[in-house]
Tab-separated table of all heavy atoms in Angstrom:
chain	number	residue	atom	x	y	z
X	1	PRO	N	109.909	81.362	138.752
X	1	PRO	CA	109.410	82.752	138.420
X	1	PRO	C	110.347	83.655	137.922
X	1	PRO	O	111.538	83.459	138.395
X	1	PRO	CB	108.626	83.177	139.722
X	1	PRO	CG	108.452	81.918	140.562
X	1	PRO	CD	109.458	80.947	140.139
X	2	VAL	N	110.096	84.419	137.063
X	2	VAL	CA	111.081	85.371	136.325
X	2	VAL	C	111.689	86.335	137.447
X	2	VAL	O	112.989	86.421	137.450
X	2	VAL	CB	110.481	86.211	135.323
X	2	VAL	CG1	111.437	87.207	134.725
X	2	VAL	CG2	109.880	85.268	134.171
X	3	ASN	N	110.906	86.857	138.248
X	3	ASN	CA	111.449	87.823	139.274
X	3	ASN	C	112.402	87.094	140.211
X	3	ASN	O	113.378	87.779	140.740
X	3	ASN	CB	110.233	88.480	140.195
X	3	ASN	CG	109.349	87.447	140.772
X	3	ASN	OD1	109.417	86.277	140.585
X	3	ASN	ND2	108.546	87.905	141.749
X	4	GLN	N	112.119	85.843	140.584
X	4	GLN	CA	113.087	85.015	141.402
X	4	GLN	C	114.381	84.884	140.732
X	4	GLN	O	115.495	84.864	141.359
X	4	GLN	CB	112.489	83.782	141.901
X	4	GLN	CG	113.328	83.064	142.877
X	4	GLN	CD	112.628	81.767	143.358
X	4	GLN	OE1	111.483	81.489	143.054
X	4	GLN	NE2	113.526	80.877	144.004
X	5	VAL	N	114.275	84.579	139.378
X	5	VAL	CA	115.578	84.350	138.570
X	5	VAL	C	116.477	85.654	138.674
X	5	VAL	O	117.512	85.679	138.844
X	5	VAL	CB	115.205	83.916	137.250
X	5	VAL	CG1	116.415	83.932	136.401
X	5	VAL	CG2	114.590	82.553	137.192
X	6	GLU	N	115.697	86.771	138.456
X	6	GLU	CA	116.436	88.108	138.377
X	6	GLU	C	117.038	88.326	139.790
X	6	GLU	O	118.186	88.914	139.867
X	6	GLU	CB	115.497	89.229	138.046
X	6	GLU	CG	115.021	89.070	136.631
X	6	GLU	CD	114.032	90.114	136.179
X	6	GLU	OE1	113.453	90.826	137.232
X	6	GLU	OE2	113.776	90.277	134.976
X	7	GLU	N	116.274	88.026	140.812
X	7	GLU	CA	116.883	88.346	142.232
X	7	GLU	C	118.129	87.563	142.496
X	7	GLU	O	119.167	87.919	142.956
X	7	GLU	CB	115.807	88.057	143.294
X	7	GLU	CG	114.671	89.079	143.158
X	7	GLU	CD	113.626	88.716	144.258
X	7	GLU	OE1	113.774	87.594	144.896
X	7	GLU	OE2	112.680	89.338	144.486
X	8	ASN	N	118.037	86.129	142.032
X	8	ASN	CA	119.226	85.351	142.154
X	8	ASN	C	120.445	85.868	141.430
X	8	ASN	O	121.574	85.720	141.778
X	8	ASN	CB	118.746	83.899	141.876
X	8	ASN	CG	117.831	83.332	142.766
X	8	ASN	OD1	117.722	83.666	143.906
X	8	ASN	ND2	117.149	82.277	142.330
X	9	HIS	N	120.091	86.287	140.195
X	9	HIS	CA	121.125	86.923	139.266
X	9	HIS	C	121.785	88.094	139.969
X	9	HIS	O	122.956	88.144	139.910
X	9	HIS	CB	120.410	87.239	137.922
X	9	HIS	CG	121.418	87.800	137.014
X	9	HIS	ND1	122.518	86.927	136.482
X	9	HIS	CD2	121.616	89.024	136.440
X	9	HIS	CE1	123.350	87.718	135.699
X	9	HIS	NE2	122.667	88.913	135.593
X	10	GLU	N	120.979	88.836	140.554
X	10	GLU	CA	121.496	90.190	141.166
X	10	GLU	C	122.345	89.771	142.406
X	10	GLU	O	123.364	90.341	142.705
X	10	GLU	CB	120.377	91.020	141.563
X	10	GLU	CG	119.639	91.697	140.303
X	10	GLU	CD	120.512	92.669	139.629
X	10	GLU	OE1	121.551	93.276	140.300
X	10	GLU	OE2	120.314	92.826	138.409
X	11	ASP	N	121.884	88.764	143.150
X	11	ASP	CA	122.567	88.294	144.331
X	11	ASP	C	124.086	87.845	143.946
X	11	ASP	O	124.909	87.818	144.751
X	11	ASP	CB	121.838	87.257	145.107
X	11	ASP	CG	120.541	87.773	145.630
X	11	ASP	OD1	120.550	89.051	145.846
X	11	ASP	OD2	119.709	87.004	145.999
X	12	ASN	N	124.151	87.154	142.797
X	12	ASN	CA	125.417	86.541	142.300
X	12	ASN	C	126.335	87.689	141.942
X	12	ASN	O	127.533	87.333	141.643
X	12	ASN	CB	125.153	85.639	141.252
X	12	ASN	CG	124.424	84.439	141.793
X	12	ASN	OD1	124.604	84.064	142.998
X	12	ASN	ND2	123.679	83.688	140.943
X	13	LYS	N	125.906	88.963	141.527
X	13	LYS	CA	126.732	89.873	141.092
X	13	LYS	C	127.701	90.419	142.251
X	13	LYS	O	127.145	90.666	143.373
X	13	LYS	CB	126.012	91.128	140.604
X	13	LYS	CG	125.453	90.744	139.088
X	13	LYS	CD	124.751	92.060	138.652
X	13	LYS	CE	124.298	91.810	137.254
X	13	LYS	NZ	123.630	93.031	136.716
X	14	PRO	N	128.818	90.765	141.958
X	14	PRO	CA	129.684	91.436	142.993
X	14	PRO	C	129.328	92.770	143.346
X	14	PRO	O	128.943	93.685	142.387
X	14	PRO	CB	131.216	91.449	142.412
X	14	PRO	CG	130.806	91.525	140.880
X	14	PRO	CD	129.596	90.592	140.705
X	15	LYS	N	129.082	93.060	144.550
X	15	LYS	CA	128.584	94.324	145.008
X	15	LYS	C	129.606	95.413	145.051
X	15	LYS	O	130.736	95.104	145.534
X	15	LYS	CB	127.894	94.276	146.402
X	15	LYS	CG	126.505	93.388	146.304
X	15	LYS	CD	125.954	93.393	147.641
X	15	LYS	CE	124.663	92.557	147.673
X	15	LYS	NZ	124.024	92.533	148.934
X	16	LYS	N	129.358	96.656	144.401
X	16	LYS	CA	130.377	97.640	144.513
X	16	LYS	C	130.056	98.471	145.686
X	16	LYS	O	129.041	98.751	146.145
X	16	LYS	CB	130.119	98.638	143.198
X	16	LYS	CG	130.423	97.958	141.971
X	16	LYS	CD	130.223	98.893	140.863
X	16	LYS	CE	130.633	98.321	139.485
X	16	LYS	NZ	130.408	99.302	138.359
X	17	GLU	N	131.111	98.747	146.313
X	17	GLU	CA	131.216	99.604	147.573
X	17	GLU	C	130.912	101.065	147.191
X	17	GLU	O	131.610	101.635	146.427
X	17	GLU	CB	132.412	99.475	148.281
X	17	GLU	CG	132.460	100.334	149.658
X	17	GLU	CD	133.857	100.012	150.251
X	17	GLU	OE1	134.633	99.309	149.799
X	17	GLU	OE2	134.021	100.662	151.322
X	18	LYS	N	129.729	101.579	147.839
X	18	LYS	CA	129.357	102.907	147.533
X	18	LYS	C	130.330	103.745	148.557
X	18	LYS	O	130.381	103.501	149.714
X	18	LYS	CB	127.979	103.244	147.880
X	18	LYS	CG	127.097	102.361	146.990
X	18	LYS	CD	125.578	102.731	147.258
X	18	LYS	CE	124.702	101.989	146.345
X	18	LYS	NZ	123.214	102.308	146.603
X	19	LYS	N	130.852	104.830	147.800
X	19	LYS	CA	131.606	105.826	148.564
X	19	LYS	C	130.759	106.842	149.092
X	19	LYS	O	129.953	107.372	148.440
X	19	LYS	CB	132.752	106.364	147.694
X	19	LYS	CG	133.770	105.513	147.329
X	19	LYS	CD	134.931	106.165	146.642
X	19	LYS	CE	136.141	105.385	146.421
X	19	LYS	NZ	137.235	106.020	145.619
X	20	SER	N	130.825	107.179	150.334
X	20	SER	CA	130.057	108.243	150.999
X	20	SER	C	130.597	109.561	150.588
X	20	SER	O	131.831	109.837	150.479
X	20	SER	CB	130.144	108.084	152.596
X	20	SER	OG	129.564	109.152	153.118
X	21	LYS	N	129.651	110.465	150.225
X	21	LYS	CA	130.182	111.905	149.778
X	21	LYS	C	130.864	112.544	151.025
X	21	LYS	O	131.512	113.528	150.769
X	21	LYS	CB	128.856	112.635	149.358
X	21	LYS	CG	128.244	112.064	148.107
X	21	LYS	CD	127.126	112.972	147.616
X	21	LYS	CE	126.589	112.615	146.321
X	21	LYS	NZ	125.373	113.251	145.988
X	22	ASN	N	130.538	112.145	152.149
X	22	ASN	CA	131.157	112.807	153.336
X	22	ASN	C	132.264	112.048	153.919
X	22	ASN	O	132.678	112.227	154.993
X	22	ASN	CB	130.022	112.862	154.466
X	22	ASN	CG	128.895	113.903	154.005
X	22	ASN	OD1	129.130	114.728	153.195
X	22	ASN	ND2	127.725	113.463	154.486
X	23	LYS	N	132.856	111.121	153.117
X	23	LYS	CA	134.004	110.365	153.590
X	23	LYS	C	135.172	110.534	152.581
X	23	LYS	O	134.999	110.764	151.419
X	23	LYS	CB	133.788	108.904	153.737
X	23	LYS	CG	132.782	108.544	154.793
X	23	LYS	CD	132.689	107.058	154.855
X	23	LYS	CE	131.724	106.662	156.048
X	23	LYS	NZ	131.531	105.245	156.153
X	24	ASN	N	136.357	110.727	153.066
X	24	ASN	CA	137.569	110.874	152.260
X	24	ASN	C	137.977	109.483	152.023
X	24	ASN	O	137.585	108.394	152.306
X	24	ASN	CB	138.611	111.583	152.991
X	24	ASN	CG	139.010	111.042	154.360
X	24	ASN	OD1	138.846	109.937	154.637
X	24	ASN	ND2	139.533	111.985	155.291
X	25	ASP	N	139.262	109.355	151.271
X	25	ASP	CA	139.793	108.174	150.790
X	25	ASP	C	140.154	107.209	151.969
X	25	ASP	O	140.311	105.955	151.817
X	25	ASP	CB	141.108	108.285	150.000
X	25	ASP	CG	140.651	109.043	148.580
X	25	ASP	OD1	139.507	108.965	148.305
X	25	ASP	OD2	141.625	109.711	148.055
X	26	ASP	N	140.487	107.770	153.066
X	26	ASP	CA	140.737	106.964	154.324
X	26	ASP	C	139.479	106.410	155.025
X	26	ASP	O	139.665	105.775	156.110
X	26	ASP	CB	141.588	107.655	155.267
X	26	ASP	CG	143.010	108.105	154.613
X	26	ASP	OD1	143.340	107.213	153.708
X	26	ASP	OD2	143.482	109.115	154.908
X	27	GLY	N	138.265	106.753	154.628
X	27	GLY	CA	137.050	106.422	155.355
X	27	GLY	C	136.751	107.415	156.375
X	27	GLY	O	135.708	107.145	157.071
X	28	ASP	N	137.383	108.334	156.625
X	28	ASP	CA	137.000	109.382	157.659
X	28	ASP	C	136.017	110.419	157.129
X	28	ASP	O	135.999	110.812	155.975
X	28	ASP	CB	138.194	110.127	158.145
X	28	ASP	CG	139.260	109.222	158.798
X	28	ASP	OD1	138.977	108.306	159.399
X	28	ASP	OD2	140.442	109.570	158.707
X	29	GLU	N	135.052	110.520	158.023
X	29	GLU	CA	133.920	111.516	157.617
X	29	GLU	C	134.554	112.944	157.633
X	29	GLU	O	135.239	113.333	158.462
X	29	GLU	CB	132.768	111.402	158.492
X	29	GLU	CG	131.952	110.168	158.333
X	29	GLU	CD	130.727	110.053	159.215
X	29	GLU	OE1	130.450	111.238	159.852
X	29	GLU	OE2	129.976	109.178	159.223
X	30	THR	N	134.168	113.762	156.501
X	30	THR	CA	134.615	115.191	156.554
X	30	THR	C	133.431	116.085	156.679
X	30	THR	O	132.394	115.827	156.048
X	30	THR	CB	135.328	115.416	155.080
X	30	THR	OG1	134.387	115.085	154.041
X	30	THR	CG2	136.527	114.526	154.972
X	31	LYS	N	133.713	117.115	157.416
X	31	LYS	CA	132.588	118.153	157.586
X	31	LYS	C	132.731	119.258	156.523
X	31	LYS	O	133.749	119.429	155.926
X	31	LYS	CB	132.859	118.884	158.937
X	31	LYS	CG	132.635	117.843	160.114
X	31	LYS	CD	132.776	118.636	161.491
X	31	LYS	CE	132.609	117.763	162.611
X	31	LYS	NZ	132.760	118.487	163.892
X	32	PRO	N	131.506	119.852	156.047
X	32	PRO	CA	131.602	120.890	154.997
X	32	PRO	C	132.478	121.998	155.431
X	32	PRO	O	132.611	122.360	156.688
X	32	PRO	CB	130.138	121.395	155.022
X	32	PRO	CG	129.367	120.163	155.482
X	32	PRO	CD	130.243	119.469	156.616
X	33	SER	N	133.223	122.547	154.471
X	33	SER	CA	134.158	123.741	154.814
X	33	SER	C	133.419	124.910	155.447
X	33	SER	O	132.450	125.426	154.783
X	33	SER	CB	134.822	124.133	153.463
X	33	SER	OG	135.603	125.278	153.807
X	34	LYS	N	133.791	125.310	156.597
X	34	LYS	CA	133.230	126.426	157.176
X	34	LYS	C	133.518	127.771	156.393
X	34	LYS	O	132.716	128.708	156.283
X	34	LYS	CB	133.644	126.713	158.544
X	34	LYS	CG	133.373	125.515	159.636
X	34	LYS	CD	131.855	125.532	159.783
X	34	LYS	CE	131.415	124.521	160.833
X	34	LYS	NZ	129.924	124.508	161.146
X	35	LEU	N	134.647	127.784	155.732
X	35	LEU	CA	134.944	128.911	154.983
X	35	LEU	C	134.078	129.104	153.806
X	35	LEU	O	133.656	130.254	153.478
X	35	LEU	CB	136.516	128.873	154.484
X	35	LEU	CG	136.964	129.967	153.635
X	35	LEU	CD1	136.919	131.381	154.396
X	35	LEU	CD2	138.414	129.709	153.206
X	36	LYS	N	133.811	127.943	153.110
X	36	LYS	CA	132.921	127.993	151.910
X	36	LYS	C	131.596	128.402	152.339
X	36	LYS	O	130.851	129.184	151.673
X	36	LYS	CB	132.937	126.631	151.270
X	36	LYS	CG	132.147	126.540	150.009
X	36	LYS	CD	132.200	125.176	149.397
X	36	LYS	CE	131.490	125.182	147.994
X	36	LYS	NZ	130.132	125.565	148.075
X	37	GLU	N	131.156	127.907	153.417
X	37	GLU	CA	129.783	128.216	153.833
X	37	GLU	C	129.573	129.722	154.209
X	37	GLU	O	128.690	130.426	153.847
X	37	GLU	CB	129.323	127.425	155.186
X	37	GLU	CG	129.123	125.940	154.989
X	37	GLU	CD	128.662	125.287	156.259
X	37	GLU	OE1	128.719	125.940	157.340
X	37	GLU	OE2	128.320	124.136	156.127
X	38	THR	N	130.685	130.306	154.778
X	38	THR	CA	130.722	131.558	155.115
X	38	THR	C	130.838	132.523	153.857
X	38	THR	O	129.963	133.556	153.783
X	38	THR	CB	132.031	131.988	156.006
X	38	THR	OG1	131.975	131.221	157.056
X	38	THR	CG2	131.956	133.514	156.331
X	39	ILE	N	131.611	132.151	152.870
X	39	ILE	CA	131.666	132.848	151.517
X	39	ILE	C	130.281	132.797	150.896
X	39	ILE	O	129.834	133.808	150.419
X	39	ILE	CB	132.800	132.223	150.666
X	39	ILE	CG1	134.055	132.624	151.338
X	39	ILE	CG2	132.585	132.846	149.300
X	39	ILE	CD1	135.245	131.793	150.552
X	40	ASP	N	129.581	131.603	150.789
X	40	ASP	CA	128.405	131.506	150.231
X	40	ASP	C	127.233	132.384	150.867
X	40	ASP	O	126.437	132.843	150.157
X	40	ASP	CB	127.874	129.935	150.165
X	40	ASP	CG	128.711	129.147	149.310
X	40	ASP	OD1	129.467	129.677	148.529
X	40	ASP	OD2	128.670	127.902	149.432
X	41	PHE	N	127.391	132.549	152.052
X	41	PHE	CA	126.394	133.327	152.856
X	41	PHE	C	126.630	134.864	152.582
X	41	PHE	O	125.611	135.587	152.348
X	41	PHE	CB	126.512	133.034	154.351
X	41	PHE	CG	125.509	133.863	155.178
X	41	PHE	CD1	124.155	133.559	155.270
X	41	PHE	CD2	125.978	135.040	155.822
X	41	PHE	CE1	123.331	134.247	155.941
X	41	PHE	CE2	125.200	135.820	156.655
X	41	PHE	CZ	123.813	135.352	156.667
X	42	PHE	N	127.883	135.308	152.693
X	42	PHE	CA	128.049	136.720	152.647
X	42	PHE	C	128.208	137.281	151.240
X	42	PHE	O	128.201	138.453	150.919
X	42	PHE	CB	129.279	137.078	153.411
X	42	PHE	CG	129.095	137.001	154.875
X	42	PHE	CD1	129.551	136.086	155.652
X	42	PHE	CD2	128.443	138.104	155.409
X	42	PHE	CE1	129.453	136.169	157.065
X	42	PHE	CE2	128.204	138.182	156.877
X	42	PHE	CZ	128.634	137.039	157.669
């Protein structure tokens, strides 16, 4: 079946690692800047 062929083809592709928006280059999670939040509010 066509869909099975496509699935197998996708499985054979190298998966790209998704970078988390909340992580820095070292993999540590970063919290939103409190200063920026304060400025945006006031």
Side-chain angles (χ1 to χ4, degrees):
V2 175
N3 58 350
Q4 184 177 347
V5 174
E6 291 177 348
E7 289 176 359
N8 293 335
H9 178 66
E10 292 294 333
D11 291 341
N12 293 330
K13 284 185 178 181
K15 293 184 179 180
K16 294 182 179 180
E17 183 179 354
K18 293 183 179 179
K19 289 187 176 181
S20 173
K21 293 183 179 179
N22 294 328
K23 291 185 178 181
N24 55 25
D25 295 338
D26 298 329
D28 297 330
E29 292 189 0
T30 59
K31 296 182 180 180
S33 169
K34 293 294 184 181
L35 177 60
K36 185 177 184 304
E37 288 182 357
T38 303
I39 293 175
D40 290 343
F41 177 79
F42 283 105

